[in-house]
Amino acid sequence: MDADLERTDPSMPEAAQQGFVLLRRQFTEGLPGRLREIRSALDAQERHQALHRLVGAAGSYGFGSLSQAARAADVLAGAADSVAHQGAWAALLECVALACAPVGPARSGGAPSRTGDTKP
């Protein structure tokens, strides 16, 4: 685990910080499984539901770019334009890789400076 996942908003109570760190860690560790679920969806509805859950969870844990990429992949999943769909899927995979990668130095406010992070 990278140590920067442990950085949180210093204005949060310590117990809340510890809980949020644990949740973020569990979320990033579960991303490969979420991708497998999306890829193995048996139909469009199942894929939509898996992507929709990823949209919400990513946003809740501060991964705004990942949430947006999952939303785009969901919207374009049924598109007739397969190039647009492939582009949305590639963007989603890139955002997942960034979310799972080590993060850089903290920005002001103590939150990690991971690309896609929306925490101040």
Side-chain angles (χ1 to χ4, degrees), residues 1 15 20 22 30 41 60 62 66 74 77 83-84 88 100 108 115 118-119:
M1 275 303 107
F20 190 67
L22 178 61
S60 294
L66 175 57
D74 186 22
V83 173
C100 293
S108 64
T115 301
T118 58
K119 294 292 178 196

Side-chain angles (χ1 to χ4, degrees), residues 31 35 66 90-102 114-115:
L31 284 172
L35 285 180
L66 175 57
L92 176 60
L93 293 177
E94 181 178 340
C95 286
V96 166
L98 287 170
C100 293
R114 181 188 318 266
T115 301

Side-chain angles (χ1 to χ4, degrees), residues 16-56:
Q17 289 181 30
Q18 291 172 357
F20 190 67
V21 166
L22 178 61
L23 290 173
R24 277 180 66 98
R25 183 170 293 163
Q26 290 171 342
F27 173 74
T28 57
E29 289 173 353
L31 284 172
R34 286 178 182 263
L35 285 180
R36 282 191 300 277
E37 178 186 8
I38 293 164
R39 285 184 172 142
S40 66
L42 298 176
D43 59 32
Q45 181 63 28
E46 192 175 303
R47 183 176 42 253
H48 165 72
Q49 290 172 346
L51 282 164
H52 184 75
R53 285 191 300 273
L54 180 56
V55 168

